[in-house]
Amino acid sequence: MTDPNLVAEMAIKEMETHGVAPTPDNYEFWFTHLSGTNPDLSREVDLLTQNGKVKDAGQLNTLRERYITQADKDSAMLDVGGRLEKELAGVMQMLETASKDTGAYGDSLNNVTAALDAERSPAELRVLMETLVAATRTMEGRSKQLEQRLEESKEEVTQLRRNMEEIRTEAMTDQLTGLANRRKFDDTVAACMKSAEDNETPFTLILGDIDHFKKFNDTYGHQTGDQVLKLVAQCMRHHVRDPLTPARYGGEEFALILPFTDLEAGVRIADQVRRMIESKELVKKSTGENLGAVTMSFGAALFEPGETIRDLIKRADACLYTAKRHGRNQVRSEISEDVRKMAS
């Protein structure tokens, strides 16, 4: 097993080598990578290193959410699930014991009834009645204990279920923006595709990308970059309500998942978001400096029955690429002829 102290030193050196800010989150990220405990994460980091994107804060945050934060949430979910299963097993054991007690009490009643059928002396009847009273008191005591324990268990199960729901929500939420994360994106798109196909309803997927975000991030710093991401998320939430879902697809990429929405309506919603983002003036919190406007490009694709998630994303991404290629800060859909040529 690798020496933790050695891995810690390597993590610090690697951050210095690649110019990564030595924050606690970044340290955890590099320590996990260099310790070899998460091979999938290490493969992603190696690719970033080869492509010269290892300093990209958006990329690092996406990987941290996917491989580290998500793993912590999954572990917490398993822990709560185990406790809930244990509590329910305890309830079943109690009910089984109560069933046996009820059976024993029934046997006692039957024995007393059979004994009463024969002629008995007053002394014998007194013994039978005392036996019946004792059995009844025992049963009453067991019943009260069971009632109290079931009430306690009900409260515990309710709390555990509440905890599990909170963890499940966190596991599906991007920490920085509060939007649906990539896992939630995948699940929601799959559900929307199935619903659209089963019910013959429209479903539009829109992918968006912040224009020149890397340059913006490098110029003003990662904290300001995070401020931009939060601004975009706020604008998306303003124009999108249930059952529509805004999501952070990864890094500076976002998505609008629009069930029961045709392409024309989807483009209109995306353009409303785009206009709102463009209208906002970004101010650097630390200095009060006006950094100007942020713009965003979008690509929209209408789901076609029978296609895969990958196909749908590819078509939406082709539209997004066309928006970028034609000057950015616009929404493009598959209505454009050049988009159709690129997707084919």
Side-chain angles (χ1 to χ4, degrees):
M1 185 175 181
T2 306
D3 182 356
N5 293 327
L6 178 59
V7 175
E9 293 178 6
M10 292 169 58
I12 293 173
K13 289 180 180 179
E14 284 292 303
M15 285 191 291
E16 292 176 353
T17 299
H18 295 290
V20 177
T23 64
D25 284 343
N26 284 339
Y27 173 78
E28 179 189 21
F29 178 89
W30 283 94
F31 186 94
T32 302
H33 161 52
L34 294 170
S35 66
T37 57
N38 195 320
D40 291 334
L41 170 64
S42 295
R43 278 193 293 271
E44 296 267 17
V45 175
D46 290 340
L47 286 175
L48 287 180
T49 304
Q50 293 172 11
N51 296 329
K53 295 183 178 180
V54 77
K55 291 191 293 184
D56 190 325
Q59 294 278 5
L60 295 182
N61 286 334
T62 298
L63 293 182
R64 183 185 299 110
E65 171 69 21
R66 188 179 304 166
Y67 293 111
I68 298 178
T69 306
Q70 195 62 57
D72 292 341
K73 291 173 182 175
D74 289 343
S75 177
M77 180 74 79
L78 288 173
D79 177 64
V80 173
R83 289 163 55 195
L84 180 58
E85 184 177 349
K86 184 178 180 181
E87 185 67 26
L88 293 175
V91 171
M92 294 303 296
Q93 182 62 44
M94 283 190 300
L95 293 176
E96 184 179 347
T97 300
S99 177
K100 292 179 180 178
D101 290 341
T102 301
Y105 181 62
D107 291 340
S108 297
L109 290 179
N110 289 333
N111 292 335
V112 170
T113 301
L116 289 174
D117 288 340
E119 292 186 4
R120 299 288 178 179
S121 65
E124 289 174 327
L125 289 175
R126 185 166 50 253
V127 171
L128 288 173
M129 293 307 299
E130 289 174 352
T131 301
L132 181 59
V133 169
T136 301
R137 287 176 177 173
T138 299
M139 191 62 194
E140 287 178 349
R142 295 286 180 84
S143 297
K144 289 181 180 179
Q145 290 176 1
L146 177 62
E147 182 180 355
Q148 181 180 354
R149 183 66 184 89
L150 286 175
E151 185 62 32
E152 293 173 355
S153 182
K154 177 183 176 182
E155 294 176 1
E156 179 69 14
V157 169
T158 299
Q159 184 59 48
L160 287 172
R161 283 179 172 168
R162 189 178 295 117
N163 293 345
M164 182 172 286
E165 188 59 36
E166 290 174 357
I167 295 171
R168 183 181 291 110
T169 299
E170 290 178 4
M172 294 292 186
T173 304
D174 177 66
Q175 287 188 316
L176 178 65
T177 64
L179 300 182
N181 63 12
R182 180 58 185 271
R183 174 184 283 191
K184 178 67 171 178
F185 169 88
D186 291 338
D187 290 350
T188 304
V189 170
C192 288
M193 290 172 64
K194 186 177 187 309
S195 175
E197 192 152 16
D198 291 346
N199 302 302
E200 298 183 354
T201 54
F203 163 43
T204 296
L205 175 65
I206 295 173
L207 296 182
D209 185 272
I210 301 173
D211 297 327
H212 304 297
F213 181 75
K214 186 177 186 306
K215 181 179 178 181
F216 192 96
N217 218 21
D218 292 342
T219 302
Y220 299 109
H222 296 153
Q223 288 186 338
T224 303
D226 288 348
Q227 189 178 342
V228 172
L229 296 173
K230 291 177 181 179
L231 171 66
V232 169
Q234 179 184 1
C235 294
M236 285 189 164
R237 278 194 296 267
H238 179 81
H239 287 287
V240 176
R241 296 288 185 271
D242 286 340
L244 314 182
T245 303
R248 186 180 178 193
Y249 188 69
E252 68 271 26
E253 298 175 301
F254 291 79
L256 295 172
I257 305 170
L258 310 177
F260 312 108
T261 307
D262 60 25
L263 190 60
E264 182 180 353
V267 169
R268 186 165 57 249
I269 292 173
D271 200 54
Q272 289 172 347
V273 174
R274 182 195 64 79
R275 290 175 182 275
M276 186 175 186
I277 293 171
E278 184 185 26
S279 70
K280 302 292 185 180
E281 287 190 349
L282 190 67
V283 177
K284 192 172 183 179
K285 289 183 178 181
S286 59
T287 63
E289 178 186 0
N290 190 318
L291 306 181
V294 176
T295 64
M296 196 164 179
S297 303
F298 293 92
L302 182 68
F303 168 68
E304 297 178 357
E307 72 177 335
T308 65
I309 292 181
R310 185 174 182 179
D311 292 335
L312 178 60
I313 292 175
K314 181 181 178 182
R315 292 192 295 109
D317 195 53
C319 296
L320 171 59
Y321 181 79
T322 300
K324 292 284 189 180
R325 197 159 59 89
H326 282 76
R328 297 180 171 82
N329 191 25
Q330 59 186 275
V331 182
R332 287 276 174 155
S333 72
E334 294 179 302
I335 296 174
S336 305
E337 184 64 29
D338 50 357
V339 175
R340 292 183 180 278
K341 289 180 180 179
M342 287 177 55
S344 61

